[in-house]
Amino acid sequence: MQFLVGALPATLSAPVMLVLHVGAYKSSLPALLTAAGPLPAKHAEDGESIGPGRIYVAPPDRHLTVVEGRVHLSRGPKENCARPAIDPLFRSAAETYGSNAIGVILTGNLNDGTLGLEQIKQHGGLTVAQDPEDAAHPDMPRSAAAHVSLDYCLPLADIPKLLIKLVNGTDGKAVVMPITPSQPRAAEKLIISGGRTFERPLTVTCPDCGGALKRRKVGSIIKFDCHVGHTYTAEVMASAQFEELEKVMRAAVRFLNERAEFCLQMAEHSQSVEASIASDWHAASKQALDRAYKLRDLVEQDWITPEAGRIASPHDHELAAVSE
């Protein structure tokens, strides 16, 4: 990676966005890349505008995506056990820039990036992979070559020259990765989880044990059964599901409130040691408390409950049984 960016010119008229699977560990990659060549590198910051001739690196434990010419960072679900992962960036580039995007896969283990590179291909962008025979860890480029109709598969030494030609449009291809998006209303597609919308779940799970539920119809009644033996009519299922939802959300409020208190205690402890550390603890406490209030407000809002009024609550049934 240092060789690649070190061979790019300071006059490069496109932004470069990089993902290395560093997990949550501290990374000095931007400093290494800045020292390697003329392009300045930095950890991307959420909401910042992207500019040409700059390198934006996914920070530890954050997915990096690009939406409407701006960086978006998130702690969305890990992909292929990684956060940051390359697929979210590829998907967002495909959605936002379409045929003006380039995806490049370098050395790496397993098959991360193949699906995202295919998305770039499907949107008309250009796909590049390092020659697997040239890679120290050939799994990722080999997977890309096997599953994506690559535009280029080259040794690492040739990739910088190719990127310069692509950006300058001197290879017969369209100029790639402009600063402004080429796809209309792309941001509307990327509002959830850093470029991913929620897919329909494979199944609905049991509120009691978490097992998969099977739906069946008995006469005119919809019934749900799990493999352990818990059964629900649709109305009881809806009520039980909501109760479990409320329980989880209230537990999250409690955890956030406890985090706020913990951080506040650490701030008080650090005050006499170093003021800047105490300030960070205070900021963390405030953030947790703000989110606790927001989540509490969400929990306490009115919810749409189609089952309400159609069944009595379990407590009502118990009272009825006693009264009989």
Side-chain angles (χ1 to χ4, degrees):
M1 192 174 292
Q2 288 171 272
F3 170 81
L4 188 153
V5 301
L8 297 175
T11 56
L12 191 73
S13 59
V16 178
M17 311 192 79
L18 298 178
V19 174
L20 184 68
H21 295 165
V22 296
Y25 296 100
K26 184 178 179 180
S27 171
S28 57
L29 183 59
L32 295 174
L33 297 179
T34 298
L39 296 181
K42 65 188 293 290
H43 277 133
E45 299 178 27
D46 190 48
E48 71 174 316
S49 299
I50 60 174
R54 296 176 180 272
I55 301 171
Y56 302 87
V57 180
D61 204 32
R62 294 293 187 276
H63 289 314
L64 168 63
T65 58
V66 56
V67 183
E68 295 289 355
R70 291 185 177 274
V71 167
H72 178 66
L73 302 178
S74 77
R75 295 192 73 252
K78 291 183 178 181
E79 300 195 24
N80 291 318
C81 301
R83 186 177 58 230
I86 186 59
D87 281 326
L89 175 58
F90 279 168
R91 283 196 305 269
S92 68
E95 291 281 356
T96 302
Y97 294 100
S99 61
N100 291 320
I102 297 178
V104 182
I105 292 285
L106 300 180
T107 179
N109 292 319
L110 301 177
N111 59 358
D112 304 309
T114 297
L115 292 175
L117 202 64
E118 176 62 22
Q119 287 291 304
I120 290 179
K121 186 69 177 181
Q122 290 180 7
H123 283 76
L126 298 176
T127 54
V128 183
Q130 183 178 0
D131 185 343
E133 298 300 321
D134 180 62
H137 302 282
D139 288 359
M140 285 175 57
R142 181 177 292 138
S143 174
H147 298 284
V148 181
S149 180
L150 295 173
D151 294 294
Y152 302 93
C153 187
L154 304 170
L156 179 61
D158 296 331
I159 293 179
K161 292 179 287 186
L162 170 67
L163 294 179
I164 294 169
K165 290 180 179 179
L166 292 175
V167 171
N168 293 335
T170 57
D171 70 329
K173 302 284 187 179
V175 178
V176 299
M177 201 65 177
I179 306 307
T180 55
S182 62
Q183 301 288 86
R185 297 163 58 192
E188 296 180 10
K189 304 176 184 178
L190 303 172
I191 59 175
I192 299 177
S193 189
R196 299 193 71 182
T197 55
F198 289 120
E199 301 290 343
R200 292 185 65 172
L202 296 177
T203 187
V204 178
T205 56
C206 175
D208 195 1
C209 69
L213 287 169
K214 182 178 180 180
R215 187 183 69 183
R216 58 194 179 97
K217 193 172 183 179
V218 181
S220 60
I221 297 176
I222 300 296
K223 187 180 181 184
F224 292 83
D225 310 88
C226 78
H227 62 277
V228 172
H230 301 116
T231 65
Y232 308 85
T233 62
E235 291 79 12
V236 173
M237 171 67 183
S239 179
Q241 192 180 55
F242 180 79
E243 288 181 7
E244 186 66 18
L245 168 68
E246 188 175 35
K247 184 190 303 182
V248 170
M249 293 179 72
R250 289 194 181 280
V253 172
R254 175 173 62 83
F255 282 122
L256 284 167
N257 199 31
E258 289 178 5
R259 173 171 171 77
E261 173 59 25
F262 165 73
C263 292
L264 184 60
Q265 291 183 17
M266 292 304 298
E268 294 169 348
H269 172 74
S270 304
Q271 191 66 51
S272 59
V273 180
E274 187 172 342
S276 62
I277 296 178
S279 177
D280 289 343
W281 281 113
H282 274 297
S285 176
K286 182 180 183 303
Q287 180 192 62
L289 199 58
D290 287 345
R291 294 183 179 182
Y293 283 132
K294 290 176 182 176
L295 185 55
R296 187 189 65 182
D297 290 343
L298 179 62
V299 175
E300 294 178 356
Q301 288 177 11
D302 288 336
W303 293 75
I304 297 174
T305 52
E307 72 279 9
R310 300 185 64 182
I311 59 171
S313 70
H315 187 57
D316 290 337
H317 283 301
E318 291 170 7
L319 289 177
V322 171
S323 65
E324 290 174 356

